[in-house]
mmCIF file of all heavy atoms in Angstrom:
data_model
loop_
_atom_site.group_PDB
_atom_site.id
_atom_site.type_symbol
_atom_site.label_atom_id
_atom_site.label_comp_id
_atom_site.label_asym_id
_atom_site.label_seq_id
_atom_site.Cartn_x
_atom_site.Cartn_y
_atom_site.Cartn_z
ATOM 1 N N ALA A 597 -3.453 -46.443 15.457
ATOM 2 C CA ALA A 597 -4.519 -45.871 16.299
ATOM 3 C C ALA A 597 -5.469 -45.034 15.358
ATOM 4 O O ALA A 597 -6.670 -45.155 15.558
ATOM 5 C CB ALA A 597 -3.979 -44.955 17.438
ATOM 6 N N THR A 598 -4.879 -44.288 14.500
ATOM 7 C CA THR A 598 -5.663 -43.575 13.473
ATOM 8 C C THR A 598 -6.509 -44.534 12.550
ATOM 9 O O THR A 598 -7.656 -44.304 12.287
ATOM 10 C CB THR A 598 -4.731 -42.632 12.684
ATOM 11 O OG1 THR A 598 -4.090 -41.728 13.391
ATOM 12 C CG2 THR A 598 -5.587 -41.894 11.518
ATOM 13 N N ALA A 599 -5.770 -45.547 12.090
ATOM 14 C CA ALA A 599 -6.458 -46.476 11.162
ATOM 15 C C ALA A 599 -7.643 -47.162 12.036
ATOM 16 O O ALA A 599 -8.693 -47.300 11.420
ATOM 17 C CB ALA A 599 -5.481 -47.492 10.719
ATOM 18 N N ASN A 600 -7.347 -47.626 13.245
ATOM 19 C CA ASN A 600 -8.379 -48.257 14.092
ATOM 20 C C ASN A 600 -9.569 -47.230 14.234
ATOM 21 O O ASN A 600 -10.648 -47.762 14.117
ATOM 22 C CB ASN A 600 -7.791 -48.588 15.413
ATOM 23 C CG ASN A 600 -8.460 -49.625 16.198
ATOM 24 O OD1 ASN A 600 -8.015 -50.166 17.159
ATOM 25 N ND2 ASN A 600 -9.720 -49.955 15.731
ATOM 26 N N ALA A 601 -9.334 -46.029 14.490
ATOM 27 C CA ALA A 601 -10.447 -45.084 14.667
ATOM 28 C C ALA A 601 -11.302 -45.005 13.448
ATOM 29 O O ALA A 601 -12.568 -45.035 13.515
ATOM 30 C CB ALA A 601 -9.865 -43.712 15.068
ATOM 31 N N HIS A 602 -10.591 -44.826 12.241
ATOM 32 C CA HIS A 602 -11.373 -44.693 10.952
ATOM 33 C C HIS A 602 -12.047 -46.008 10.614
ATOM 34 O O HIS A 602 -13.066 -45.993 9.889
ATOM 35 C CB HIS A 602 -10.423 -44.260 9.897
ATOM 36 C CG HIS A 602 -10.101 -42.839 9.922
ATOM 37 N ND1 HIS A 602 -11.001 -41.840 9.772
ATOM 38 C CD2 HIS A 602 -8.878 -42.196 10.056
ATOM 39 C CE1 HIS A 602 -10.451 -40.542 9.854
ATOM 40 N NE2 HIS A 602 -9.144 -40.814 10.046
ATOM 41 N N LEU A 603 -11.457 -47.136 11.128
ATOM 42 C CA LEU A 603 -12.138 -48.487 10.770
ATOM 43 C C LEU A 603 -13.420 -48.621 11.497
ATOM 44 O O LEU A 603 -14.416 -49.093 10.950
ATOM 45 C CB LEU A 603 -11.145 -49.505 11.055
ATOM 46 C CG LEU A 603 -11.581 -51.007 10.649
ATOM 47 C CD1 LEU A 603 -11.644 -51.119 9.229
ATOM 48 C CD2 LEU A 603 -10.592 -52.051 11.335
ATOM 49 N N VAL A 604 -13.411 -48.345 12.817
ATOM 50 C CA VAL A 604 -14.609 -48.580 13.628
ATOM 51 C C VAL A 604 -15.639 -47.520 13.536
ATOM 52 O O VAL A 604 -16.752 -47.647 13.770
ATOM 53 C CB VAL A 604 -14.173 -48.781 15.140
ATOM 54 C CG1 VAL A 604 -13.239 -49.979 15.227
ATOM 55 C CG2 VAL A 604 -13.568 -47.574 15.729
ATOM 56 N N THR A 605 -15.171 -46.303 13.097
ATOM 57 C CA THR A 605 -16.083 -45.157 12.833
ATOM 58 C C THR A 605 -15.865 -44.583 11.440
ATOM 59 O O THR A 605 -15.064 -43.653 11.334
ATOM 60 C CB THR A 605 -15.898 -44.039 13.892
ATOM 61 O OG1 THR A 605 -15.983 -44.664 15.189
ATOM 62 C CG2 THR A 605 -17.001 -43.067 13.836
ATOM 63 N N PRO A 606 -16.347 -45.109 10.384
ATOM 64 C CA PRO A 606 -16.046 -44.694 9.137
ATOM 65 C C PRO A 606 -16.440 -43.228 8.924
ATOM 66 O O PRO A 606 -17.250 -42.685 9.782
ATOM 67 C CB PRO A 606 -16.795 -45.581 8.182
ATOM 68 C CG PRO A 606 -17.147 -46.824 9.005
ATOM 69 C CD PRO A 606 -17.232 -46.363 10.402
ATOM 70 N N GLN A 607 -15.878 -42.586 7.921
ATOM 71 C CA GLN A 607 -16.055 -41.160 7.741
ATOM 72 C C GLN A 607 -17.556 -40.820 7.523
ATOM 73 O O GLN A 607 -18.322 -41.679 6.984
ATOM 74 C CB GLN A 607 -15.309 -40.606 6.588
ATOM 75 C CG GLN A 607 -15.811 -41.025 5.168
ATOM 76 C CD GLN A 607 -14.942 -40.446 4.092
ATOM 77 O OE1 GLN A 607 -13.747 -40.645 4.123
ATOM 78 N NE2 GLN A 607 -15.599 -39.746 3.126
ATOM 79 N N PRO A 608 -18.025 -39.697 7.969
ATOM 80 C CA PRO A 608 -19.432 -39.408 7.839
ATOM 81 C C PRO A 608 -19.874 -39.151 6.403
ATOM 82 O O PRO A 608 -19.016 -38.898 5.560
ATOM 83 C CB PRO A 608 -19.574 -37.953 8.593
ATOM 84 C CG PRO A 608 -18.167 -37.481 8.637
ATOM 85 C CD PRO A 608 -17.225 -38.670 8.642
ATOM 86 N N ASP A 609 -21.144 -39.373 6.175
ATOM 87 C CA ASP A 609 -21.582 -39.200 4.776
ATOM 88 C C ASP A 609 -21.391 -37.718 4.289
ATOM 89 O O ASP A 609 -21.230 -37.458 3.136
ATOM 90 C CB ASP A 609 -23.145 -39.608 4.691
ATOM 91 C CG ASP A 609 -23.320 -41.011 4.918
ATOM 92 O OD1 ASP A 609 -22.376 -41.805 4.666
ATOM 93 O OD2 ASP A 609 -24.370 -41.479 5.397
ATOM 94 N N ASN A 610 -21.548 -36.852 5.238
ATOM 95 C CA ASN A 610 -21.352 -35.354 4.947
ATOM 96 C C ASN A 610 -19.887 -35.063 5.175
ATOM 97 O O ASN A 610 -19.389 -34.944 6.276
ATOM 98 C CB ASN A 610 -22.286 -34.540 5.823
ATOM 99 C CG ASN A 610 -22.195 -33.058 5.424
ATOM 100 O OD1 ASN A 610 -21.404 -32.656 4.606
ATOM 101 N ND2 ASN A 610 -23.008 -32.266 6.129
ATOM 102 N N GLU A 611 -19.251 -34.767 4.079
ATOM 103 C CA GLU A 611 -17.705 -34.558 4.179
ATOM 104 C C GLU A 611 -17.419 -33.313 5.006
ATOM 105 O O GLU A 611 -16.381 -33.194 5.590
ATOM 106 C CB GLU A 611 -17.060 -34.408 2.843
ATOM 107 C CG GLU A 611 -17.043 -35.647 1.997
ATOM 108 C CD GLU A 611 -18.289 -35.927 1.263
ATOM 109 O OE1 GLU A 611 -19.324 -35.238 1.379
ATOM 110 O OE2 GLU A 611 -18.379 -36.877 0.425
ATOM 111 N N LYS A 612 -18.463 -32.362 5.150
ATOM 112 C CA LYS A 612 -18.265 -31.160 5.950
ATOM 113 C C LYS A 612 -18.262 -31.386 7.483
ATOM 114 O O LYS A 612 -17.862 -30.452 8.236
ATOM 115 C CB LYS A 612 -19.258 -30.149 5.632
ATOM 116 C CG LYS A 612 -19.346 -29.799 4.110
ATOM 117 C CD LYS A 612 -20.486 -28.771 3.883
ATOM 118 C CE LYS A 612 -20.689 -28.487 2.390
ATOM 119 N NZ LYS A 612 -21.145 -29.634 1.619
ATOM 120 N N SER A 613 -18.718 -32.538 7.920
ATOM 121 C CA SER A 613 -18.866 -32.743 9.415
ATOM 122 C C SER A 613 -17.596 -33.473 9.890
ATOM 123 O O SER A 613 -16.608 -33.776 9.007
ATOM 124 C CB SER A 613 -20.102 -33.507 9.663
ATOM 125 O OG SER A 613 -20.063 -34.751 8.993
ATOM 126 N N ALA A 614 -17.524 -33.957 11.127
ATOM 127 C CA ALA A 614 -16.464 -34.645 11.702
ATOM 128 C C ALA A 614 -16.998 -35.521 12.780
ATOM 129 O O ALA A 614 -18.057 -35.270 13.343
ATOM 130 C CB ALA A 614 -15.511 -33.666 12.328
ATOM 131 N N ASN A 615 -16.274 -36.660 12.919
ATOM 132 C CA ASN A 615 -16.821 -37.680 13.875
ATOM 133 C C ASN A 615 -15.662 -38.293 14.684
ATOM 134 O O ASN A 615 -14.537 -37.809 14.691
ATOM 135 C CB ASN A 615 -17.653 -38.744 13.147
ATOM 136 C CG ASN A 615 -16.745 -39.554 12.208
ATOM 137 O OD1 ASN A 615 -15.515 -39.472 12.192
ATOM 138 N ND2 ASN A 615 -17.450 -40.267 11.389
ATOM 139 N N GLY A 616 -15.982 -39.308 15.500
ATOM 140 C CA GLY A 616 -14.939 -39.906 16.283
ATOM 141 C C GLY A 616 -13.789 -40.458 15.509
ATOM 142 O O GLY A 616 -12.669 -40.555 16.028
ATOM 143 N N GLY A 617 -14.027 -40.997 14.376
ATOM 144 C CA GLY A 617 -12.957 -41.427 13.501
ATOM 145 C C GLY A 617 -12.014 -40.303 13.226
ATOM 146 O O GLY A 617 -10.751 -40.562 13.242
ATOM 147 N N ASP A 618 -12.490 -39.148 12.919
ATOM 148 C CA ASP A 618 -11.634 -38.022 12.589
ATOM 149 C C ASP A 618 -10.789 -37.598 13.810
ATOM 150 O O ASP A 618 -9.617 -37.179 13.778
ATOM 151 C CB ASP A 618 -12.404 -36.865 12.149
ATOM 152 C CG ASP A 618 -13.182 -37.166 10.790
ATOM 153 O OD1 ASP A 618 -12.442 -37.729 9.979
ATOM 154 O OD2 ASP A 618 -14.325 -36.755 10.553
ATOM 155 N N ILE A 619 -11.380 -37.659 15.073
ATOM 156 C CA ILE A 619 -10.787 -37.311 16.251
ATOM 157 C C ILE A 619 -9.521 -38.250 16.467
ATOM 158 O O ILE A 619 -8.518 -37.737 17.005
ATOM 159 C CB ILE A 619 -11.700 -37.429 17.555
ATOM 160 C CG1 ILE A 619 -12.825 -36.428 17.310
ATOM 161 C CG2 ILE A 619 -10.897 -37.192 18.828
ATOM 162 C CD1 ILE A 619 -13.976 -36.615 18.401
ATOM 163 N N GLY A 620 -9.587 -39.462 16.077
ATOM 164 C CA GLY A 620 -8.468 -40.377 16.131
ATOM 165 C C GLY A 620 -7.371 -40.085 15.224
ATOM 166 O O GLY A 620 -6.248 -40.621 15.371
ATOM 167 N N GLY A 621 -7.621 -39.111 14.306
ATOM 168 C CA GLY A 621 -6.540 -38.709 13.339
ATOM 169 C C GLY A 621 -6.466 -37.244 13.368
ATOM 170 O O GLY A 621 -6.097 -36.578 14.315
ATOM 171 N N TRP A 622 -6.854 -36.573 12.272
ATOM 172 C CA TRP A 622 -6.564 -35.173 11.986
ATOM 173 C C TRP A 622 -7.193 -34.301 12.939
ATOM 174 O O TRP A 622 -6.644 -33.219 13.390
ATOM 175 C CB TRP A 622 -6.919 -34.764 10.515
ATOM 176 C CG TRP A 622 -8.382 -34.897 10.213
ATOM 177 C CD1 TRP A 622 -9.074 -35.938 9.791
ATOM 178 C CD2 TRP A 622 -9.338 -33.857 10.409
ATOM 179 N NE1 TRP A 622 -10.438 -35.744 9.677
ATOM 180 C CE2 TRP A 622 -10.579 -34.369 10.017
ATOM 181 C CE3 TRP A 622 -9.337 -32.621 10.828
ATOM 182 C CZ2 TRP A 622 -11.810 -33.684 10.157
ATOM 183 C CZ3 TRP A 622 -10.444 -31.891 10.967
ATOM 184 C CH2 TRP A 622 -11.726 -32.382 10.514
ATOM 185 N N ALA A 623 -8.548 -34.532 13.321
ATOM 186 C CA ALA A 623 -9.247 -33.671 14.129
ATOM 187 C C ALA A 623 -8.653 -33.584 15.554
ATOM 188 O O ALA A 623 -8.524 -32.423 16.088
ATOM 189 C CB ALA A 623 -10.694 -34.102 14.246
ATOM 190 N N GLY A 624 -8.138 -34.705 16.061
ATOM 191 C CA GLY A 624 -7.496 -34.657 17.377
ATOM 192 C C GLY A 624 -6.296 -33.868 17.400
ATOM 193 O O GLY A 624 -5.937 -33.034 18.225
ATOM 194 N N ASP A 625 -5.469 -34.030 16.325
ATOM 195 C CA ASP A 625 -4.253 -33.247 16.113
ATOM 196 C C ASP A 625 -4.519 -31.804 15.939
ATOM 197 O O ASP A 625 -3.757 -30.983 16.555
ATOM 198 C CB ASP A 625 -3.504 -33.767 15.004
ATOM 199 C CG ASP A 625 -2.846 -35.136 15.149
ATOM 200 O OD1 ASP A 625 -2.587 -35.451 16.311
ATOM 201 O OD2 ASP A 625 -2.582 -35.874 14.170
ATOM 202 N N LEU A 626 -5.629 -31.466 15.261
ATOM 203 C CA LEU A 626 -5.858 -29.997 15.061
ATOM 204 C C LEU A 626 -6.435 -29.371 16.376
ATOM 205 O O LEU A 626 -6.096 -28.267 16.630
ATOM 206 C CB LEU A 626 -7.030 -29.967 14.036
ATOM 207 C CG LEU A 626 -7.273 -28.510 13.450
ATOM 208 C CD1 LEU A 626 -6.144 -27.893 12.836
ATOM 209 C CD2 LEU A 626 -8.478 -28.474 12.515
ATOM 210 N N MET A 627 -7.061 -30.125 17.226
ATOM 211 C CA MET A 627 -7.509 -29.591 18.548
ATOM 212 C C MET A 627 -6.246 -29.334 19.353
ATOM 213 O O MET A 627 -6.125 -28.315 20.061
ATOM 214 C CB MET A 627 -8.400 -30.592 19.292
ATOM 215 C CG MET A 627 -9.740 -30.687 18.609
ATOM 216 S SD MET A 627 -10.728 -31.948 19.517
ATOM 217 C CE MET A 627 -12.150 -32.160 18.414
ATOM 218 N N THR A 628 -5.350 -30.289 19.380
ATOM 219 C CA THR A 628 -4.009 -30.039 20.105
ATOM 220 C C THR A 628 -3.287 -28.880 19.593
ATOM 221 O O THR A 628 -2.715 -28.047 20.261
ATOM 222 C CB THR A 628 -3.200 -31.361 20.004
ATOM 223 O OG1 THR A 628 -3.938 -32.423 20.578
ATOM 224 C CG2 THR A 628 -1.860 -31.183 20.826
ATOM 225 N N PHE A 629 -3.300 -28.705 18.266
ATOM 226 C CA PHE A 629 -2.652 -27.583 17.632
ATOM 227 C C PHE A 629 -3.241 -26.227 18.025
ATOM 228 O O PHE A 629 -2.652 -25.153 18.156
ATOM 229 C CB PHE A 629 -2.607 -27.751 16.137
ATOM 230 C CG PHE A 629 -1.611 -26.858 15.411
ATOM 231 C CD1 PHE A 629 -0.306 -27.039 15.580
ATOM 232 C CD2 PHE A 629 -2.124 -25.838 14.487
ATOM 233 C CE1 PHE A 629 0.648 -26.095 14.849
ATOM 234 C CE2 PHE A 629 -1.253 -25.076 13.783
ATOM 235 C CZ PHE A 629 0.152 -25.158 13.999
#
Side-chain angles (χ1 to χ4, degrees):
T598 300
N600 199 170
H602 284 297
L603 184 68
V604 301
T605 310
Q607 72 181 54
D609 293 334
N610 182 357
E611 290 84 355
K612 302 179 183 67
S613 60
N615 63 13
D618 295 316
I619 297 169
W622 66 270
D625 288 334
L626 190 62
M627 291 177 192
T628 302
F629 193 66

